[in-house]
Amino acid sequence: MVEVTKLIHKYLRHDKKFPHVWCPGCGIGIMLGALVRAIDRVGYSKDEIVMVSGIGCTGRLPVYVDFNTLHTTHGRALAFGTGVKLANPNLKVIVVMGDGDAVAIGGNHFIHAARRNIDITAIILNNSVYGMTGGQFSPTTPYGMKTTTTVYSNVEQAFKISELAVTAGAVFVARGTVYHAKLLDGLMEKAFLKVGFSVVEVISHCHTQFGRLNRMGSAVEMMQWQREHAVTVEKARQMKEKELQDKFKIGVLVDRELPVYQDEYEKVRKWSQGVVKK
Amino acid sequence: MKEPKKPKEPPNIDIYRAWCKGCGICAAFCPTGVLARDEAGYPYVQDIDKCINCGWCEIRCPDFAITVEQKKRRERRTKEEREKERPAREVTSG
Amino acid sequence: MKKKGRQEKLLQGNEAIVEGALRAGCRFFAGYPITPATEIAELLSVRLPQVDGTFIQMEDEIASLAAVIGASLAGVKSMTATSGPGFSLMQENLGFAVIAEVPCVIVDAMRGGPSTGLPTLPSQSDIMQARWGTHGDHPIIALCPSTIRECYDLTIKAFNFSEKYRNPVIILVDEVVAHMREKIVLSDEEDIEIFNRVKPTVPPEWYIPYEDTPQGVPAMANFGEGYRYHVTGLTHDIRGFPTSRPDEIDPFIRRLFRKISQNFSDIQIGEFFQTENADITIIAYGCIARSAKRAVIDARERGVKVGLLTLNTIWPFMRAQVEKVLQTSRVIIVPEMNMGQISREVKRVNKGAAKVFTLNKVDGTIITPQEILARIKEVS
């Protein structure tokens, strides 16, 4: 198994200060491990990957990895990524975002990237809180939860990121958790290999802010919570609606074929040059 | 699930203390209780013989600070591997 | 592009901007429809695919500039075009392009403001927004055409400056120039200097992406060329990694400014018209420079010695040229379609030798030569 870690070191930027900036036990490090393993298994060269991130704890990920890395403005990572991908379709664009970055300020870009089915993989680390800024609630914070901006408890309904992506048009949508790290490797690999807009929602935890305010315990207890509340898609099929009440499905939720943006735009180029009859 | 054949020689667990932040995830999720946490919360190998080389600690470590290496049984190691392990100086002077 | 040789055309300002962009090597446009800039998007959606370029209409102006910056980082010359409201939305990413030193061109076709304002009527009221729209200390280059030919030439200059100085360049064109038509002679044989970003000559291991050189502009590698460096909106050290060290932040900010302040002679474009013996000099830009030139000719016929300094570069402010006319003329008039955004600058650099008068019009109509002549009579 030591190859697992040796491999990660192959992809880290060693002129950056380690250990990384995230809190002890934060799920982002686990997700980074799965991300790097999946990249290695798919066999991308370091030069062809562009790792884009927005602002937030997850935003600090690209600086640690030895790819072309782009740390953009809050919520706009997917729009930056769209420009990179269209300008050079040979680049493999991977966009990592937090839940706030992706579906709060970035919500408009998220649904349009899905609708366009641009060939980008979006990895969304969902810990239901704005961790970097100290623990405010986010669009995925469950009803009734306490955060630094919902001290009387949250009265808003939460987004389901994966279902949102499916409705908006993404061709591959999967959900995993940082507890199920092995499953995460596989989901990310499938997402990278899928041509079109692929989304991997990674349920993670923020014990420093969210866990503390809601007395959910340490990173370990929050990962145990993930184990108890996650149900694989296959198993969920045999479960009744009531049983699935406070559970969430993990695994591949959607894997379908839809026209991919740059292939379609290639047609536009051909039509404009009178090459192919419409 | 067939009980995995216990390797005669237990694997080697390395904890990279410079990167470990003592979050306790590895110790908590080790299926066979190989790891324990010292009073500062940092993990140490409590009972290596129980280790079944599943690697769950390594794969869940947020800081890449723990590795599990399954040493191959002595006789099956090939000539080059033995070559590699001997200190380089000795090889070059040969 | 097949050789077309010498062509005489009747082009709209927006169309001339498109011709200039394509000639400069622009092969990516991301934008969002907005009057009075939409023609740029429409024409580029036709022309870019023909030259294997890419046009994309994004979901909003924020995404548009984001995509432009992404495309530029991938090595393709990119631009967007908008008007006041969209330009306001683009400000945060404009700042990103400044701090990450990413070449890109932004056309702001100015209409009446603030807010939705006068979508179909002209103004010149985004001058200060172009300078200080985005937050933080930052340099900016803004060019302003007053003829159709200048729409073409200044767009090429805008791309050249953005590549040469690794800085976003804004083209501030008012709605009159954007929509009016004039004859223009285009020809492929005309040798126009096209500048491309300086690429690194060292191997990737030695590449310092934000090197602090005296000249101030680091070589720029494109994504996918093996240099794998880090681009961020956080203030960063010379290797591109975020820093909070004062001894790294200060030289970084000053280098951003030095890139522009060391190259005024290249960046600042203007025209002195009959200012040598001018008793009164008009300082004008955009469509108002056209009215002003008419007024100068008419005044001269009536024996009044008037001159005109046309500003084609708005930012960095053409202090040296303005100071020159402040010395030679007794009276300066600054006619503009806003409440005096350039006249403030003229007064700032005026050391009292000349008297500076404004002529501010904010009713959505252009300042006519007659109005300028009337003002000349008033102040002389």
Side-chain angles (χ1 to χ4, degrees):
Chain A
M1 279 310 280
V2 71
E3 313 73 37
V4 167
T5 301
K6 261 197 212 131
L7 170 139
I8 291 178
H9 283 266
K10 193 175 101 187
Y11 289 90
L12 296 183
R13 275 187 172 134
H14 286 286
D15 47 3
K16 261 307 282 177
K17 193 168 71 64
F18 280 89
H20 51 56
V21 71
W22 300 303
C23 306
C26 173
I28 298 181
I30 304 171
M31 181 266 277
L32 173 55
L35 184 67
V36 163
R37 283 191 295 275
I39 286 173
D40 186 74
R41 200 168 306 119
V42 170
Y44 291 116
S45 76
K46 291 183 181 183
D47 288 340
E48 65 185 314
I49 290 185
V50 178
M51 185 74 70
V52 190
S53 72
I55 297 295
C57 298
T58 312
R60 300 306 289 264
L61 183 146
V63 81
Y64 291 111
V65 287
D66 185 13
F67 304 124
N68 303 285
T69 54
L70 176 55
H71 182 198
T72 69
T73 45
H74 190 35
R76 319 303 175 187
L78 276 171
F80 277 85
T82 300
V84 173
K85 184 65 182 181
L86 290 180
N88 181 355
N90 303 324
L91 293 173
K92 174 62 192 173
V93 178
I94 301 167
V95 177
V96 286
M97 296 167 282
D99 43 291
D101 198 33
V103 295
I105 186 170
N108 195 23
H109 311 305
F110 180 65
I111 52 177
H112 286 279
R115 175 183 61 82
R116 271 188 213 104
N117 198 22
I118 184 93
D119 181 21
I120 282 177
T121 300
I123 295 171
I124 300 159
L125 190 111
N126 180 6
N127 57 8
S128 305
V129 78
Y130 283 96
M132 173 74 77
T133 42
Q136 299 73 32
F137 79 106
S138 86
T140 54
T141 301
Y143 179 88
M145 282 295 181
K146 294 284 194 330
T147 70
T148 58
T149 43
T150 56
V151 291
Y152 307 109
S153 80
N154 179 27
V155 292
E156 294 184 11
Q157 295 301 319
F159 268 149
K160 290 191 177 57
I161 291 182
S162 292
E163 286 70 8
L164 185 64
V166 170
T167 314
V171 285
F172 179 92
V173 180
R175 179 187 289 125
T177 83
V178 288
Y179 173 80
H180 305 85
K182 204 78 184 90
L183 169 72
L184 212 45
D185 280 23
L187 296 181
M188 286 197 188
E189 194 180 332
K190 289 201 189 81
F192 292 149
L193 292 171
K194 183 75 183 182
V195 178
F197 190 61
S198 50
V199 176
V200 178
E201 178 191 2
V202 183
I203 302 294
S204 183
H205 53 275
C206 176
H207 48 292
T208 307
Q209 316 289 3
F210 191 71
R212 182 166 49 79
L213 286 172
N214 293 287
R215 269 181 284 290
M216 297 175 75
S218 67
V220 169
E221 276 114 339
M222 291 186 84
M223 286 176 79
Q224 279 155 356
W225 181 89
Q226 289 164 21
R227 179 181 58 200
E228 281 130 26
H229 288 79
V231 172
T232 62
V233 172
E234 298 71 25
K235 199 147 155 286
R237 279 196 200 97
Q238 289 101 25
M239 292 169 68
K240 286 195 289 311
E241 200 48 40
K242 208 167 52 50
E243 286 169 304
L244 286 170
Q245 202 52 35
D246 62 351
K247 300 276 193 293
F248 56 86
K249 287 184 227 163
I250 57 173
V252 177
L253 305 176
V254 146
D255 186 348
R256 56 186 172 180
E257 295 307 322
L258 284 171
V260 179
Y261 192 85
Q262 69 258 32
D263 303 342
E264 290 305 303
Y265 193 76
E266 199 44 44
K267 288 187 203 161
V268 169
R269 289 200 184 93
K270 294 282 176 295
W271 296 333
S272 74
Q273 292 159 23
V275 169
V276 167
K277 282 290 154 294
K278 240 192 270 193
Chain B
M1 211 253 288
K2 189 169 71 45
E3 176 58 38
K5 193 161 65 46
K6 258 186 65 38
K8 264 196 281 328
E9 200 172 323
N12 171 35
I13 293 182
D14 287 330
I15 294 168
Y16 189 25
R17 195 54 191 281
W19 285 16
C20 171
K21 293 175 183 163
C23 68
I25 286 178
C26 55
F29 293 116
C30 170
T32 55
V34 171
L35 299 165
R37 296 174 73 179
D38 63 22
E39 62 289 350
Y42 286 95
Y44 64 92
V45 176
Q46 170 184 252
D47 184 352
I48 190 65
D49 294 331
K50 290 191 186 146
C51 177
I52 56 168
N53 188 27
C54 69
W56 277 27
C57 57
E58 185 166 4
I59 207 164
R60 284 213 185 85
C61 172
D63 286 277
F64 325 129
I66 182 167
T67 57
V68 183
E69 191 174 21
Q70 172 58 58
K71 286 204 290 298
K72 292 196 183 60
R73 259 182 250 101
R74 190 146 303 285
E75 67 285 358
R76 258 202 287 106
R77 259 182 300 131
T78 54
K79 193 166 133 330
E80 310 84 39
E81 269 165 355
R82 252 186 266 108
E83 207 59 64
K84 214 167 38 167
E85 271 173 14
R86 257 189 293 124
R89 189 178 45 71
E90 198 186 297
V91 168
T92 47
S93 65
Chain C
M1 237 157 26
K2 53 186 177 357
K3 279 281 166 206
K4 291 202 282 301
R6 194 175 172 285
Q7 281 187 306
E8 284 183 15
K9 290 191 166 188
L10 182 65
L11 284 188
Q12 186 191 59
N14 282 340
E15 291 169 342
I17 288 174
V18 165
E19 295 297 337
L22 291 170
R23 183 63 192 274
C26 169
R27 289 299 178 269
F28 184 93
F29 176 93
Y32 190 84
I34 186 167
T35 303
T38 313
E39 293 85 359
I40 295 175
E42 285 172 342
L43 189 52
L44 280 172
S45 75
V46 172
R47 297 287 298 277
L48 275 173
Q50 291 171 340
V51 290
D52 286 332
T54 307
F55 163 89
I56 182 168
Q57 185 172 298
M58 295 295 281
E59 51 271 20
D60 54 40
E61 286 91 348
I62 302 168
S64 299
L65 186 53
V68 160
I69 295 170
S72 182
L73 285 166
V76 176
K77 287 188 182 180
S78 309
M79 75 181 282
T80 185
T82 187
S83 180
F87 193 39
S88 297
L89 287 176
M90 292 181 177
Q91 292 304 321
E92 186 189 5
N93 283 339
L94 176 62
F96 183 93
V98 170
I99 202 170
E101 300 178 81
V102 181
C104 59
V105 170
I106 299 144
V107 178
D108 174 17
M110 294 183 284
R111 73 193 211 179
S115 183
T116 312
L118 299 162
T120 58
L121 295 180
S123 91
Q124 298 179 317
S125 49
D126 299 352
I127 299 293
M128 282 300 172
Q129 176 179 28
R131 181 66 193 89
W132 293 114
T134 197
H135 59 283
D137 284 313
H138 61 275
I140 199 75
I141 299 174
L143 308 178
C144 177
S146 56
T147 70
I148 299 305
R149 179 73 211 191
E150 282 173 5
C151 284
Y152 181 77
D153 293 336
L154 290 183
T155 300
I156 294 173
K157 280 254 186 263
F159 275 96
N160 285 348
F161 290 154
S162 79
E163 293 281 320
K164 194 188 283 187
Y165 301 115
R166 286 189 63 175
N167 209 73
V169 174
I170 301 162
I171 298 175
L172 284 170
V173 57
D174 55 62
E175 183 275 335
V176 171
V177 175
H179 277 167
M180 76 179 190
R181 287 179 187 282
E182 250 177 352
K183 189 181 94 169
I184 178 173
V185 177
L186 294 179
S187 114
D188 296 351
E189 281 92 26
E190 205 182 349
D191 69 5
I192 299 175
E193 190 222 1
I194 303 296
F195 194 92
N196 295 316
R197 63 195 65 174
V198 172
K199 305 297 286 294
T201 49
V202 295
E205 314 77 70
W206 297 353
Y207 178 50
I208 301 176
Y210 294 96
E211 199 175 358
D212 192 340
T213 59
Q215 182 247 4
V217 184
M220 180 172 182
N222 300 325
F223 281 168
E225 287 173 352
Y227 283 83
R228 299 201 302 274
Y229 67 106
H230 184 59
V231 177
T232 179
L234 284 165
T235 302
H236 39 268
D237 60 25
I238 58 173
R239 289 173 309 127
F241 293 135
T243 179
S244 47
R245 280 175 41 177
D247 60 324
E248 286 177 336
I249 296 167
D250 182 273
F252 170 72
I253 297 292
R254 291 180 194 280
R255 176 173 67 77
L256 291 185
F257 277 86
R258 197 169 70 236
K259 286 194 305 187
I260 309 298
S261 57
Q262 274 177 178
N263 295 290
F264 280 170
S265 55
D266 181 26
I267 296 170
Q268 292 183 332
I269 306 157
E271 184 204 16
F272 292 96
F273 177 72
Q274 303 189 4
T275 53
E276 309 69 29
N277 62 351
D279 182 32
I280 299 170
T281 295
I282 301 169
I283 299 178
Y285 51 95
C287 66
I288 305 306
R290 305 170 69 90
S291 300
K293 192 166 267 189
R294 176 80 255 153
V296 165
I297 295 164
D298 293 353
R300 286 269 175 180
E301 275 156 17
R302 299 194 189 118
V304 183
K305 293 209 285 305
V306 181
L308 165 64
L309 165 60
T310 302
L311 307 178
N312 288 118
T313 300
I314 299 292
W315 308 110
F317 184 61
M318 292 175 44
R319 181 189 191 113
Q321 295 81 344
V322 167
E323 277 169 350
K324 202 155 151 254
V325 294
L326 281 168
Q327 270 123 35
T328 55
S329 296
R330 192 174 47 80
V331 165
I332 301 290
I333 301 175
V334 186
E336 45 194 334
M337 294 198 301
N338 58 47
M339 295 294 281
Q341 296 186 26
I342 284 292
S343 61
R344 294 163 54 98
E345 290 292 299
V346 176
K347 287 173 186 162
R348 176 174 64 87
V349 303
N350 180 21
K351 298 193 183 54
K355 278 216 254 32
V356 179
F357 293 92
T358 60
L359 173 48
N360 305 116
K361 205 169 186 205
V362 290
D363 63 1
T365 66
I366 73 169
I367 301 171
T368 63
Q370 295 68 25
E371 283 163 340
I372 296 176
L373 278 170
R375 189 70 171 132
I376 289 171
K377 250 194 229 79
E378 245 174 64
V379 303
S380 57

